[in-house]
């Protein structure tokens, strides 16, 4: 199996051989140089066009699902026989970077690192998945299970339009692979925290801060009390965190604020913690009876637990990696992904199958590009051997 995999993506060991990784990097560069901010559907769809053309040319069965609510399209590609529960690979093409970022942060190679907006999170991983699926399709490899590649446009804002499709495709799958960025040492992800997102608005009573101070009820002061209450929910030993940002309120220094607001991020390790903390946030009451507090929101991503099924999938991946000559550690991660949706459904899900690197959402974002070929081999190994 190992020799076949090496031949199929033209790699030789050791894994750091730059030749095949350079070839993959050339294709990835074309993806990075198409900017795809989540909030620009036309931009995202330009990369969807490129991916669709390549998948169709390779012989995959492709369906394009039109975007809605201000987001780009979705792309579903299938290869292999149509019967039975298969393998779902779910990746996103959107990034947090605005159009025009390439001018100040161009694609470039500096030694072991390849830089560019969105290259680590997660164009490298999505491109590796695309590369693996098109390679199998072109060579008409008969995998044991049918394979579906799903490319989505809105993961960076919580997958509001793609979640239902991800869950529907997962329901018909035996395994889910998520090519989000690899962790330190190339670690894959076997657990993630759940993520909640909320908005809190305070309405107070406006008044002149000098002449009529006692007539006012400051929404900003009330918001400060609410922020302290939210921060008191942090329990680091249990892995529960809250964060309030951004905040806003008031109009002028000499006007007691009538309005104030904030956004709240909640991270929890278990479903039960999510239910309890969400209820507490949604149930916040004003300390000043003259103010009104309104909270909206919910758990956006359920916790992704490390189950026996997830561990069995990980062990198979680790064995494939060992056959290819590299270690494959695992980790739990605080950030959410589309894997949270599928793991909570009870479907074995392995995340973090993308490329090692660092700097997600930061101007030093990069991948360790020489790892592209061995990570592609790992992906192919899973697609060929899972049954």
């Amino acid at each position: 199996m190992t020799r076949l995999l090496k031949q199929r993506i033209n790699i030789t060991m050791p894994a750091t051989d730059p030749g095949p990784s350079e070839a993959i990097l050339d294709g990835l560069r074309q993806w990075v140089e198409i900017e795809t901010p989540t909030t620009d559907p036309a931009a995202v769809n330009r990369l969807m066009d490129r991916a669709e053309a390549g998948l169709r040319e390779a012989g995959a069965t492709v369906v394009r699902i039109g975007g809605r609510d201000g987001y780009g399209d979705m792309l579903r590609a299938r290869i292999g026989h149509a019967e039975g529960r298969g393998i779902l690979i779910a990746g996103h093409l959107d990034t947090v970077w605005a159009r025009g970022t390439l001018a100040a942060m161009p694609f470039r190679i500096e030694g072991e690192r390849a830089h560019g907006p969105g290259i680590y999170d997660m164009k490298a991983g999505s491109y590796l998945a695309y590369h693996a699926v098109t390679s199998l399709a072109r060579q008409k490899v008969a995998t044991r299970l049918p394979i579906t590649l799903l490319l989505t446009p809105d993961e960076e804002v919580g997958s509001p339009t793609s979640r239902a499709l991800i869950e529907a495709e997962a329901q018909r799958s035996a395994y889910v692979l998520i090519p989000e960025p690899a962790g330190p040492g190339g670690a894959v992800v076997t657990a993630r925290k759940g993520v909640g997102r909320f908005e809190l608005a305070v309405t107070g009573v406006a008044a002149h801060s000098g002449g009529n101070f006692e007539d006012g009820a400051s929404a900003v002061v009330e918001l400060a009390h609410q922020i302290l209450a939210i921060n008191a929910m942090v329990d680091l030993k249990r892995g529960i965190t809250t964060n309030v940002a951004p905040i806003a309120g008031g109009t002028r220094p000499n006007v007691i604020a009538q309005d104030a607001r904030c956004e709240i991020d909640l991270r929890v390790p278990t479903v039960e913690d999510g239910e309890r903390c969400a209820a507490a946030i949604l149930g916040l009451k004003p300390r000043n009876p003259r103010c009104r507090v309104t909270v909206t929101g919910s758990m956006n991503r359920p916790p992704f637990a490390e189950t026996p099924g997830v561990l069995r999938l990980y062990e198979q991946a680790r064995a494939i990696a060992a056959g290819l000559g590299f270690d494959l550690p695992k980790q739990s991660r605080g950030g959410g992904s589309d894997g949270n949706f599928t793991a909570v459904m009870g479907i074995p899900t392995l995340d973090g199958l993308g490329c090692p690197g660092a700097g997600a959402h930061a101007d030093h974002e990069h991948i360790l590009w020489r790892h592209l070929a061995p990570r592609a081999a790992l992906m192919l190994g899973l697609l060929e051997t899972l049954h």
Side-chain angles (χ1 to χ4, degrees), residues 90-223:
H92 67 90
L93 299 187
D94 62 311
T95 75
V96 300
W97 299 101
R99 268 212 286 180
T101 300
L102 274 169
M105 186 179 161
F107 176 92
R108 66 192 189 280
I109 299 171
E110 296 178 351
E112 302 292 317
R113 299 179 175 185
H115 295 256
I119 193 168
Y120 179 58
D121 185 14
M122 63 174 280
K123 285 186 177 178
S126 291
Y127 185 80
L128 285 173
Y130 164 88
H131 175 79
V133 170
T134 54
S135 295
L136 293 172
R138 286 193 185 97
Q139 297 175 58
K140 296 180 171 53
V141 176
T143 57
R144 299 184 183 189
L145 296 177
I147 297 165
T148 297
L149 172 62
L150 192 61
L151 298 175
T152 60
D154 58 355
E155 191 274 346
E156 292 292 358
V157 294
S159 308
T161 66
S162 59
R163 177 176 179 172
L165 180 60
I166 292 165
E167 291 173 336
E169 292 298 327
Q171 194 65 57
R172 55 183 290 168
S173 303
Y175 306 97
V176 176
L177 307 179
I178 306 289
E180 285 279 351
V188 292
V189 178
T190 56
R192 287 181 180 269
K193 288 185 179 181
V195 182
R197 291 290 171 84
F198 305 86
E199 295 184 1
L200 186 152
V202 179
T203 303
V205 180
H208 192 291
S209 64
N212 302 95
F213 186 88
E214 66 277 7
D215 293 337
S218 174
V220 168
V221 172
E222 181 62 43
L223 178 61

Side-chain angles (χ1 to χ4, degrees), residues 48-65 74-79 130 133-134 137-138:
M48 288 288 180
D49 292 341
R50 178 178 287 273
E52 179 180 11
L55 286 159
R56 289 189 186 279
E57 186 275 331
T61 301
V62 181
V63 175
R64 181 90 168 238
I65 300 104
M74 291 175 277
L75 201 65
R76 183 181 66 205
R78 301 198 201 280
I79 63 172
Y130 164 88
V133 170
T134 54
R138 286 193 185 97

Side-chain angles (χ1 to χ4, degrees), residues 3-48:
R3 182 171 63 253
L4 179 61
L5 283 170
K6 292 176 184 177
Q7 291 172 347
R8 224 164 244 162
I9 63 168
N10 188 32
I11 75 172
T12 58
M13 292 295 112
T16 53
D17 177 16
S21 289
E22 286 178 332
I24 298 172
L25 182 61
D26 184 61
L28 173 58
R29 175 177 188 160
Q30 297 175 49
W31 280 34
V32 173
E33 292 183 337
I34 299 175
E35 295 179 300
T36 55
T38 310
T39 53
D40 189 336
V44 175
N45 284 347
R46 279 191 283 276
L47 185 50
M48 288 288 180

